[in-house]
């Protein structure tokens, strides 16, 4: 039957090791990984000779069917996931936005949107305000609802932004629950100031977006969040690291022993800001995301940081808005919905940019596109590995084939593509999700409703020993110094 699969003769790659072996799959689970597996003729056999057999990509950062900046992203949980499957990604973690301040209402709304899913998914929760109820609901999310990470926005003033007092409350709560705090690191007050400055100068076009929120504001907020996480002694995950400034703060903190994770996104790794100066508004507006795509040089520095381990995994921040939606900001860049695509392109572009160029090994590729995400969010080895017992989310990549990106043939609903015209080496020829072949011969067989909600438990490896560090700190504090009450 179709639920039995044998992948023969490929190079099976895990984050720790690669070897030539067969992979046998039954009912959505990997049953065996070893050379020369013999099977009956009721098993579908795929020949992977000369190709790489790897864990399906896990995208730690997407926004499907999100209401944002007065509109809703064009890709929903079916179209976005179908695009993902065509590009070798078999799971993503999306961000739940609370509804009227309620986390549980937000989660219910997102679970509803996700009913049409054709691949597995998990959720982070955005925290956009703070009160007793939010604090209580965070506990419910972690203990009962399968959420083990919360995102705090230091930008989007007047909308999602929180202040330092609330960030501290959030960090403390995350720590007590064993949940990972994530941060959008830009100084929202300064961005607001920068935007006013650009409008006053008459710079109302898309280039004003980048000019109003330069790298220094990303560096400042990253440094601040890292220091506050250090003060609380809890791990921190910095999403969409777009600049050298932010990356260097993360590298410095990691060098000092702090548990900080840095997530660059594919747009920041392979693009520069030149498109924002395109004289055609739509051509320029498609590059608008926050933090902005930076000047040439930041891209190469982020790649280097990934290859040396200063940054740990790659996301997309897939947040797709069509030309008609981008046009909301035709007279004022502040009204251009923020976000670019990437869910379909990440695996190919990271392969070409990082592996094909010789910057990282194939095992490192698996680590930064899949395994590290599974470990950080506590899904390993169910996800992120080709091991007996793991979920059968698998890709077959042909290193000698090539890919080409264009809006004319991509699977997203987007009418543009921020990576339009890019080509490169290495092509995902087969995607297997939940043990089923969903992408083969450039044909997609995505089945609505086949994706599962993956509940994520708290206390991933990032929390190992945190309690001991705290105990050591407390015992290091001496008894209060006894001082005479007499006036001197
Ligand atoms: O421009 C972006 N990044 N849009 C998505 C929302 C966010 O901040 O991640
Ligand atoms: Zn092994
Ligand atoms: Zn963000
Ligand atoms: Zn995002």
């Amino acid at each position: 039957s179709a639920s039995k699969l044998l992948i023969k003769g490929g190079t099976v790659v895990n984050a720790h090791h690669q070897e030539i072996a067969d992979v046998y799959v039954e009912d959505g689970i990997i049953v065996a990984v070893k050379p020369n597996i013999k099977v009956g003729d009721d098993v579908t056999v795929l020949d992977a000779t000369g190709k790489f057999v790897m864990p399906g990509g896990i995208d730690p950062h997407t926004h499907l069917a999100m209401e944002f900046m007065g509109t809703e992203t064009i890709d929903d949980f079916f179209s976005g996931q179908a695009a993902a499957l065509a590009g070798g990604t078999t799971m993503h973690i999306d961000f739940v936005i609370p509804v009227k301040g309620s986390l549980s209402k937000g989660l219910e709304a997102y679970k509803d949107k996700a009913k049409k899913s054709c691949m597995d998914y998990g959720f982070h929760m955005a925290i956009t305000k703070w009160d007793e109820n939010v604090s209580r609901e965070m506990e419910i999310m972690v203990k009962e609802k399968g959420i083990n990470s919360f995102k705090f926005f230091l930008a989007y003033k007047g909308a999602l932004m929180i202040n330092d007092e609330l960030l501290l409350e959030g960090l403390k709560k995350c720590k007590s629950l064993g949940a990972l705090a994530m941060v959008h690191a830009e100084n929202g007050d300064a961005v607001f100031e920068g935007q006013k400055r650009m409008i006053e100068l008459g710079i109302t076009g898309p280039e004003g977006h980048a000019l109003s929120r330069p790298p220094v504001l990303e560096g400042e907020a990253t440094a601040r969040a890292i220091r506050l996480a250090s003060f609380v002694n809890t791990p921190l995950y910095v999403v969409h690291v777009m600049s050298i400034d932010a990356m260097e703060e993360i590298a410095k903190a990691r060098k000092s022993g702090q548990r900080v994770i840095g997530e660059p996104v594919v747009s920041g790794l392979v693009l520069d800001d030149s498109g924002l100066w395109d004289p055609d508004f739509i051509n320029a507006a498609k590059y608008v995301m926050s933090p902005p795509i930076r000047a040439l040089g930041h891209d190469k520095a982020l790649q280097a940081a990934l290859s040396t381990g200063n940054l740990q995994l790659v996301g997309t921040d897939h947040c797709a808005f069509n030309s008609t939606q981008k046009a909301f900001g035709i007279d004022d860049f502040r009204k251009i919905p923020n976000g670019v695509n990437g869910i379909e392109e990440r695996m190919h572009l990271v392969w070409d940019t990082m592996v094909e160029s010789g910057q990282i090994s194939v095992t490192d590729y698996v680590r930064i596109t899949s395994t590290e995400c599974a470990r950080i969010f506590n899904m390993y080895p169910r996800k992120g590995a080709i091991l007996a017992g793991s979920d059968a989310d698998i890709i077959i990549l042909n290193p000698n084939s090539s890919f080409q990106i264009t809006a004319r043939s991509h699977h997203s609903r987007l009418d543009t593509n921020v990576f339009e015209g890019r080509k490169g080496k290495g092509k995902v020829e087969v995607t297997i999700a939940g043990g089923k072949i969903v992408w083969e011969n450039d044909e997609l067989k995505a089945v609505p409703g086949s994706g599962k909600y993956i509940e994520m438990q708290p206390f991933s490896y990032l929390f190992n020993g945190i309690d001991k560090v705290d105990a050591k700190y407390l015992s290091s504090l001496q008894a209060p110094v006894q001082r005479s009450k007499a006036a001197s």
Side-chain angles (χ1 to χ4, degrees), residues 60-81:
H61 189 154
T62 62
H63 303 277
L64 300 181
M66 177 176 64
E67 287 173 39
F68 189 51
M69 296 185 73
T71 184
E72 187 171 328
T73 59
I74 199 77
D75 277 323
D76 63 14
F77 277 78
F78 184 74
S79 70
Q81 293 180 349

Side-chain angles (χ1 to χ4, degrees), residues 61 63 66 68 151 153 156 184 240 288-291 317 319 338-339:
H61 189 154
H63 303 277
M66 177 176 64
F68 189 51
K151 179 179 177 186
F153 294 85
Y156 304 122
H184 175 130
H240 48 45
V288 168
M289 66 167 289
S290 295
D317 201 3
C319 184
N338 287 194

Side-chain angles (χ1 to χ4, degrees), residues 432-453:
I432 296 159
K436 301 241 160 59
I437 299 170
V438 290
W439 170 251
E440 192 183 17
N441 302 321
D442 287 340
E443 230 180 287
L444 198 56
K445 293 170 208 154
V447 182
S450 59
K452 295 184 297 292
Y453 174 47

Side-chain angles (χ1 to χ4, degrees), residues 175-206:
K175 178 181 185 176
S176 74
L177 296 170
L180 185 56
M182 310 174 84
V183 65
H184 175 130
E186 288 183 288
N187 186 313
D189 287 316
V191 167
F192 188 73
E193 190 60 33
Q195 290 175 328
K196 275 198 304 198
R197 198 191 284 171
M198 287 310 129
I199 298 295
E200 278 163 23
L201 289 168
I203 301 171
T204 59

Side-chain angles (χ1 to χ4, degrees), residues 229-243:
S230 166
F231 178 61
V232 174
N233 187 30
T234 198
L236 183 72
Y237 181 112
V238 183
V239 303
H240 48 45
V241 176
M242 296 294 282
S243 64

Side-chain angles (χ1 to χ4, degrees), residues 94-98 103 106-108 110 123-127 147:
D94 210 88
F95 290 84
V96 171
I97 309 293
L103 311 194
L107 180 62
E108 284 321 304
Y110 268 78
F123 289 123
H124 313 289
M125 174 71 66
I127 300 297
I147 285 178

